[in-house]
Amino acid sequence: LEVQLPAEPIWMHLDAARLSQVLFNLLHNANKYTPSGGHVRLAVKEISNAIEIEVCDDGIGIPSEQLEKVFDMFVQVDAALDRTK
C-alpha cells in the first residue's frame, strides 16, 4: 500500500463515518482484486476548494459497459473476468 498525502493537513466538514466507510470499501476492493505482488495506492489532493481521493490498483478493473452500475447496491464485476481466482 502506497499512501500519498499532502504536506499540510486539509480541513473539511464532512460525515467522518461515511468517509471512513467509503475509504474502507474502496481499499478493501482494491486489495481483494489486486493479484499477489500487485500495488494499491491511495492519494489525497486538494484542488481549488475540493478534495480528490484516488485509489488505484493492479486489479482487473471495471469494464466500460459496467461503469454506469458502479454505485448500484450489490453489483460486482462478472466473476469470469476475475483473474485473481
Side-chain angles (χ1 to χ4, degrees), residues 4-84:
Q4 297 175 348
L5 300 174
E8 298 293 323
I10 299 172
W11 299 100
M12 58 189 146
H13 297 283
L14 52 80
D15 184 331
R18 294 294 160 245
L19 179 61
S20 295
Q21 182 180 20
V22 167
L23 289 175
F24 173 83
N25 289 341
L26 289 171
L27 290 170
H28 180 267
N29 285 342
N31 183 60
K32 179 178 178 181
Y33 291 105
T34 296
S36 180
H39 301 88
V40 175
R41 179 174 56 89
L42 169 68
V44 179
K45 301 179 210 172
E46 184 172 13
I47 301 173
S48 298
N49 289 330
I51 306 301
E52 179 179 284
I53 299 173
E54 181 179 63
V55 175
C56 298
D57 61 67
D58 297 337
I60 62 173
I62 301 171
S64 58
E65 65 272 7
Q66 292 191 4
L67 284 174
E68 65 187 37
K69 301 176 188 174
V70 76
F71 292 108
D72 294 348
M73 300 220 16
F74 310 113
V75 171
Q76 288 186 310
V77 171
D78 184 348
L81 300 173
D82 186 350
R83 297 182 298 253
T84 64

